[in-house]
Amino acid sequence: MTKKISLTRYLVEQQRLEGHIPPELRLLLEVVARACKRISQAVSKGALGDVMGSAESENVQGEMQKKLDIIANEVLIEANEWGGHLAAMASEEMEGIYVVPNRYPQGEYLLMFDPLDGSSNIDVNVSIGTIFSVMLKPEGTGVSEHDFLQPGTKQVAAGYCVYGPQTTLVLTVGDGVTVFTLDREQGSFILTQEDLRVPEDTREFAINMSNQRHWAAPVTRYIDECLQGRDGPRGKDFNMRWVGSMVADVHRILTRGGIFMYPWDKREPEKAGKLRLLYEANPMSWLIEQAGGSATDGKRRIMDITPTKLHERVSVFMGSKNEVEQVTRYHSEP
């Protein structure tokens, strides 16, 4: 019988034997995982738990919130505020940062998260997830919003939890990508895959084709060539996949390859893109890179971008290395 390794044991061994993570970060990641288990339970209850539907409120992005958006945000805050590992948190659902209250000890880490990515899919029972990123707080007293404005290269941990047929936690601490699956009988995440790799080549792309008329020319060129298949310049047939939940689309790409694209378009030309740099693009980019893939905004490596505001948006092209390099090259050509 194969020995089952829990997330806790895995992190303890990373701390003890490999020296990859300090004990404070290990404890923080365990707390985040516990919060994800609570969110998974709420998601799985669906209509039986009175968590479906709209909350009749908008988040800072001007998007209508679902009940589960608010529940997941509160779960993550309540689970992490008292442990002594964090200085502050930032969420896609909150306008400003959440500083750990004075009644609790303050740690040295900053936690950023999208509490429920893909929430528009909740009511139709499609996979959704939680995305998170951890950075060290810059030295100095107190904590401010400016402390969060660090490039993705400063991340010390990143991951996501996808709530689908299985609840799966995907994690990196800078030494590859590891996958854990929730054993509901035991109530713990169990190691199911190490050193996840994204194939360099692919025949699949993920993009919202309904926005095609709004794309910039390089994106249109890339997709047109894919659609021409083996008779076109790419010389191979492509399939399109699109869930509409970043965590589900990226999880598929991490599992079997592909390219995920959410580009700038003409509908909101003043915005660099749709996805948020701190809560979505940075953690997913690091996971993709740790698995051998690539992630750019069409011109720059996403993790090299220094954010100027908490809810900064960015264009995203990530996944199989050769395809990302191809569409990025098109952005640099006249």
Side-chain angles (χ1 to χ4, degrees):
M1 180 177 176
T2 303
K3 184 185 297 183
K4 292 185 176 181
I5 298 176
S6 68
L7 173 66
T8 296
R9 175 174 173 177
Y10 174 83
L11 292 173
V12 167
E13 290 178 349
Q14 289 289 303
Q15 173 195 328
R16 181 191 300 155
L17 302 177
E18 304 295 338
H20 289 314
I21 58 174
E24 294 81 7
L25 180 57
R26 171 180 67 82
L27 292 169
L28 170 56
L29 293 174
E30 288 188 56
V31 173
V32 171
R34 285 200 297 271
C36 288
K37 284 192 286 185
R38 288 180 57 191
I39 296 170
S40 176
Q41 290 170 355
V43 169
S44 66
K45 288 180 180 178
L48 299 176
D50 192 28
V51 297
M52 307 290 279
S54 171
E56 302 302 327
S57 60
E58 292 185 350
N59 63 14
V60 65
Q61 320 293 337
E63 300 164 338
M64 187 60 67
Q65 290 178 304
K66 299 289 187 178
K67 290 180 182 178
L68 268 172
D69 282 320
I70 298 172
I71 291 169
N73 196 69
E74 291 175 350
V75 165
L76 282 158
I77 290 173
E78 291 171 4
N80 285 283
E81 67 178 353
W82 54 268
H85 319 303
L86 285 177
M89 292 175 262
S91 165
E92 181 180 317
E93 300 298 326
M94 302 188 298
E95 183 173 359
I97 66 172
Y98 181 90
V99 179
V100 170
N102 290 333
R103 63 182 180 275
Y104 301 124
Q106 204 172 85
E108 59 180 341
Y109 291 104
L110 303 173
L111 176 65
M112 291 141 282
F113 51 82
D114 179 353
L116 210 61
D117 177 75
S119 57
S120 62
N121 287 317
I122 292 169
D123 294 344
V124 293
N125 203 21
V126 171
S127 295
I128 52 180
T130 298
I131 308 172
F132 62 91
S133 170
V134 183
M135 292 182 178
L136 279 167
K137 183 181 82 70
E139 292 184 3
T141 57
V143 60
S144 69
E145 185 174 306
H146 186 266
D147 293 330
F148 286 82
L149 304 182
Q150 305 179 52
T153 52
K154 297 294 186 180
Q155 293 175 106
V156 295
Y160 63 82
C161 196
V162 58
Y163 313 116
Q166 307 93 37
T167 293
T168 304
L169 177 67
V170 181
L171 177 69
T172 185
V173 291
D175 188 26
V177 178
T178 310
V179 182
F180 302 84
T181 302
L182 180 61
D183 185 328
R184 297 187 186 277
E185 294 178 356
Q186 293 187 12
S188 60
F189 282 104
I190 303 299
L191 176 66
T192 48
Q193 193 169 357
E194 290 186 273
D195 196 27
L196 197 65
R197 305 300 294 174
V198 177
E200 291 188 355
D201 293 295
T202 184
R203 294 174 181 262
E204 287 189 354
F205 65 87
I207 194 168
N208 188 344
M209 288 291 292
S210 67
N211 296 328
Q212 185 171 13
R213 66 192 184 279
H214 304 296
W215 295 338
V219 182
T220 300
R221 175 187 174 187
Y222 175 81
I223 295 298
D224 283 348
E225 290 181 354
C226 290
L227 295 177
Q228 291 175 48
R230 68 178 64 186
D231 299 324
R234 302 304 310 281
K236 59 183 179 180
D237 292 326
F238 282 79
N239 289 323
M240 191 191 88
R241 299 286 184 265
W242 181 252
V243 179
S245 158
M246 184 190 192
V247 72
D249 279 308
V250 173
H251 185 66
R252 182 187 62 251
I253 287 165
L254 274 168
T255 303
R256 70 185 195 197
I259 178 171
F260 172 83
M261 293 169 280
Y262 214 129
W264 170 93
D265 68 45
K266 299 171 186 175
R267 291 172 300 168
E268 295 181 292
E270 74 284 357
K271 295 179 180 178
K274 171 71 172 176
L275 299 176
R276 287 76 178 179
L277 178 59
L278 291 177
Y279 317 114
E280 297 165 317
N282 269 341
M284 290 303 206
S285 293
W286 199 25
L287 286 162
I288 287 287
E289 287 192 5
Q290 284 291 307
S294 181
T296 77
D297 68 348
K299 299 178 181 178
R300 302 167 291 177
R301 179 190 183 206
I302 286 175
M303 292 211 303
D304 285 338
I305 300 171
T306 300
T308 58
K309 54 186 177 181
L310 203 58
H311 298 289
E312 186 164 333
R313 298 175 188 247
V314 67
S315 295
V316 170
F317 302 87
M318 64 172 59
S320 294
K321 186 175 181 180
N322 291 339
E323 294 302 318
V324 174
E325 289 180 352
Q326 181 98 355
V327 70
T328 301
R329 185 166 64 250
Y330 288 175
H331 280 81
S332 65
E333 294 178 358

